[in-house]
Amino acid sequence: MMLPEHLDSLFVGGEWVWPSSAERLRVVNPTTEQELATVPAGTPADADRAVAAARAAFPGWAATPVAERAALLSALADALADRQAELGQLIATEVGSPLSFATGTQAGLPVTVLRSYADLLGHFPFE
Protein backbone atom coordinates (compact mmCIF):
# COMPACT_ATOMS: atom_id res chain seq x y z
CA MET A 1 0.00 0.00 0.00
CA MET A 2 1.27 3.42 -0.94
CA LEU A 3 0.97 6.22 1.61
CA PRO A 4 -0.06 9.65 0.34
CA GLU A 5 2.63 12.20 -0.43
CA HIS A 6 2.95 15.46 1.47
CA LEU A 7 2.56 13.98 4.95
CA ASP A 8 4.22 17.11 6.34
CA SER A 9 1.85 19.68 4.81
CA LEU A 10 -1.82 20.59 4.38
CA PHE A 11 -3.69 21.07 1.10
CA VAL A 12 -5.24 24.55 1.24
CA GLY A 13 -6.30 26.79 -1.60
CA GLY A 14 -5.10 24.38 -4.27
CA GLU A 15 -1.57 24.01 -2.95
CA TRP A 16 0.42 22.21 -0.28
CA VAL A 17 1.22 24.58 2.59
CA TRP A 18 3.09 24.27 5.84
CA PRO A 19 0.90 23.94 8.95
CA SER A 20 1.08 26.69 11.56
CA SER A 21 2.19 24.22 14.24
CA ALA A 22 4.75 21.44 14.45
CA GLU A 23 2.28 19.26 16.40
CA ARG A 24 1.68 15.85 14.79
CA LEU A 25 -1.03 13.20 15.01
CA ARG A 26 -0.23 9.51 14.84
CA VAL A 27 -2.13 7.46 12.26
CA VAL A 28 -2.41 3.95 13.69
CA ASN A 29 -3.67 0.76 12.08
CA PRO A 30 -6.38 -0.29 14.57
CA THR A 31 -5.94 -3.95 13.65
CA THR A 32 -2.22 -4.20 14.28
CA GLU A 33 -1.73 -1.05 16.40
CA GLN A 34 1.27 -0.22 14.22
CA GLU A 35 1.93 3.41 13.40
CA LEU A 36 1.34 4.04 9.70
CA ALA A 37 2.40 7.68 9.62
CA THR A 38 2.23 10.98 11.40
CA VAL A 39 0.41 13.96 9.95
CA PRO A 40 0.08 17.64 10.86
CA ALA A 41 -2.40 18.15 13.70
CA GLY A 42 -3.87 21.27 12.14
CA THR A 43 -4.81 24.24 14.28
CA PRO A 44 -7.66 26.71 14.38
CA ALA A 45 -5.42 29.04 12.33
CA ASP A 46 -5.04 26.31 9.70
CA ALA A 47 -8.82 25.85 9.62
CA ASP A 48 -9.29 29.62 9.27
CA ARG A 49 -6.84 29.62 6.35
CA ALA A 50 -8.78 26.78 4.68
CA VAL A 51 -12.12 28.56 5.19
CA ALA A 52 -10.68 31.78 3.76
CA ALA A 53 -9.41 29.86 0.72
CA ALA A 54 -12.84 28.25 0.23
CA ARG A 55 -14.54 31.63 0.47
CA ALA A 56 -12.11 33.10 -2.03
CA ALA A 57 -12.76 30.22 -4.44
CA PHE A 58 -16.55 30.42 -4.21
CA PRO A 59 -17.16 33.32 -6.64
CA GLY A 60 -15.19 31.50 -9.34
CA TRP A 61 -17.15 28.29 -8.78
CA ALA A 62 -20.45 30.21 -8.70
CA ALA A 63 -19.58 31.88 -12.02
CA THR A 64 -18.68 28.56 -13.65
CA PRO A 65 -21.35 27.52 -16.17
CA VAL A 66 -23.59 24.68 -15.00
CA ALA A 67 -22.46 22.31 -17.78
CA GLU A 68 -18.81 22.89 -16.84
CA ARG A 69 -19.56 22.24 -13.16
CA ALA A 70 -21.26 18.97 -14.10
CA ALA A 71 -18.24 17.98 -16.22
CA LEU A 72 -15.84 18.79 -13.37
CA LEU A 73 -17.87 16.75 -10.88
CA SER A 74 -18.02 13.85 -13.35
CA ALA A 75 -14.25 14.04 -13.87
CA LEU A 76 -13.69 13.98 -10.11
CA ALA A 77 -16.02 10.98 -9.79
CA ASP A 78 -14.09 9.21 -12.57
CA ALA A 79 -10.76 9.93 -10.87
CA LEU A 80 -12.02 8.56 -7.55
CA ALA A 81 -13.52 5.50 -9.27
CA ASP A 82 -10.18 4.81 -10.96
CA ARG A 83 -8.53 4.68 -7.53
CA GLN A 84 -11.42 3.09 -5.60
CA ALA A 85 -9.55 -0.15 -4.81
CA GLU A 86 -6.48 1.77 -3.63
CA LEU A 87 -8.59 4.14 -1.54
CA GLY A 88 -10.53 1.22 -0.07
CA GLN A 89 -7.29 -0.46 1.00
CA LEU A 90 -6.03 2.78 2.56
CA ILE A 91 -9.32 3.33 4.42
CA ALA A 92 -9.44 -0.27 5.65
CA THR A 93 -5.89 0.01 6.95
CA GLU A 94 -6.37 3.40 8.62
CA VAL A 95 -9.88 2.93 10.02
CA GLY A 96 -10.09 -0.83 10.46
CA SER A 97 -13.16 -1.29 8.27
CA PRO A 98 -13.60 -4.61 6.46
CA LEU A 99 -12.01 -4.24 3.02
CA SER A 100 -15.27 -4.89 1.15
CA PHE A 101 -17.05 -2.15 3.14
CA ALA A 102 -14.16 0.28 2.83
CA THR A 103 -13.93 -0.26 -0.93
CA GLY A 104 -17.62 -0.51 -1.77
CA THR A 105 -19.10 2.02 0.61
CA GLN A 106 -16.51 4.32 2.12
CA ALA A 107 -14.57 4.77 -1.15
CA GLY A 108 -17.53 4.09 -3.45
CA LEU A 109 -20.22 6.31 -1.97
CA PRO A 110 -18.41 9.58 -2.78
CA VAL A 111 -18.29 8.45 -6.43
CA THR A 112 -22.05 7.84 -6.38
CA VAL A 113 -22.76 11.19 -4.72
CA LEU A 114 -20.58 13.14 -7.16
CA ARG A 115 -22.24 11.42 -10.12
CA SER A 116 -25.70 12.17 -8.73
CA TYR A 117 -24.81 15.87 -8.31
CA ALA A 118 -23.42 16.00 -11.85
CA ASP A 119 -26.63 14.39 -13.13
CA LEU A 120 -28.77 16.76 -11.07
CA LEU A 121 -26.98 19.74 -12.61
CA GLY A 122 -28.07 18.50 -16.02
CA HIS A 123 -31.74 18.19 -15.07
CA PHE A 124 -32.46 20.79 -12.40
CA PRO A 125 -34.66 23.67 -13.60
CA PHE A 126 -32.40 26.57 -12.60
CA GLU A 127 -33.92 30.07 -12.62
Side-chain angles (χ1 to χ4, degrees), residues 56-107:
F58 182 76
W61 178 251
T64 302
V66 171
E68 188 176 340
R69 288 189 217 180
L72 289 166
L73 292 175
S74 291
L76 179 56
D78 291 344
L80 286 174
D82 289 346
R83 297 183 67 186
Q84 190 167 334
E86 177 188 355
L87 292 169
Q89 179 65 51
L90 188 61
I91 292 166
T93 302
E94 181 181 346
V95 180
S97 299
L99 183 57
S100 61
F101 179 73
T103 302
T105 303
Q106 292 174 288

Side-chain angles (χ1 to χ4, degrees), residues 12-100:
V12 177
E15 62 186 5
W16 292 101
V17 298
W18 292 108
S20 60
S21 165
E23 187 177 351
R24 310 282 297 171
L25 297 173
R26 292 176 63 233
V27 180
V28 176
N29 180 327
T31 304
T32 64
E33 296 184 1
Q34 290 181 313
E35 184 175 292
L36 299 171
T38 63
V39 296
T43 66
D46 294 321
D48 289 344
R49 183 169 41 170
V51 169
R55 283 189 177 132
F58 182 76
W61 178 251
T64 302
V66 171
E68 188 176 340
R69 288 189 217 180
L72 289 166
L73 292 175
S74 291
L76 179 56
D78 291 344
L80 286 174
D82 289 346
R83 297 183 67 186
Q84 190 167 334
E86 177 188 355
L87 292 169
Q89 179 65 51
L90 188 61
I91 292 166
T93 302
E94 181 181 346
V95 180
S97 299
L99 183 57
S100 61

